[in-house]
Amino acid sequence: MNIAITFRHMVGTDAVKQYAHDKIAKLQRFLRQAMTAQVTLSVEGLDHIADVRISSGSQQFHATVRSQDMYASIDKVIDKLDRQIEADKTASMAKKRGGTSAAEFAAEAHEAAEGRARD
């Protein structure tokens, strides 16, 4: 696990750096392969921005959040990434279990819509 934290337009404190590192590290438990994370924490005007890019094998996840507090931005970006990882995991499990893929589902819905339009 490799986590790189960069501060832009702000003084980086150890407390914020440790908080971001701990939160990002917890996402590793949901990933099958070792993760590499690039975290950019910045300030633009009154907005505190947390931008995180995670790569784990062939999987790529990215999220950006703006808020009035850096800790809140970090929490919200972790929530976004958690949802992305969970959705990816659910989709891959459905594919492995023989569930319908998104393309198959769309084709079935399109056929059903055409059938109703003809009636």
Side-chain angles (χ1 to χ4, degrees), residues 45-64:
L46 297 176
D47 290 337
H48 294 260
I49 304 165
D51 180 60
V52 180
R53 294 178 187 276
I54 294 178
S55 62
S56 174
S58 63
Q59 299 172 319
Q60 302 287 326
F61 305 101
H62 176 254
T64 303

Side-chain angles (χ1 to χ4, degrees), residues 29-30 32 59 84-94:
R29 65 182 173 193
F30 300 116
R32 293 187 179 268
Q59 299 172 319
Q84 288 179 20
I85 292 168
E86 185 66 30
D88 183 66
K89 188 176 179 181
T90 303
S92 67
M93 292 301 287

Side-chain angles (χ1 to χ4, degrees), residues 6-13 16 40-43 48-49 70:
T6 306
F7 294 97
R8 295 185 61 212
H9 308 294
M10 66 180 284
V11 177
T13 63
V16 172
T40 304
L41 304 174
S42 61
V43 175
H48 294 260
I49 304 165
M70 184 57 74

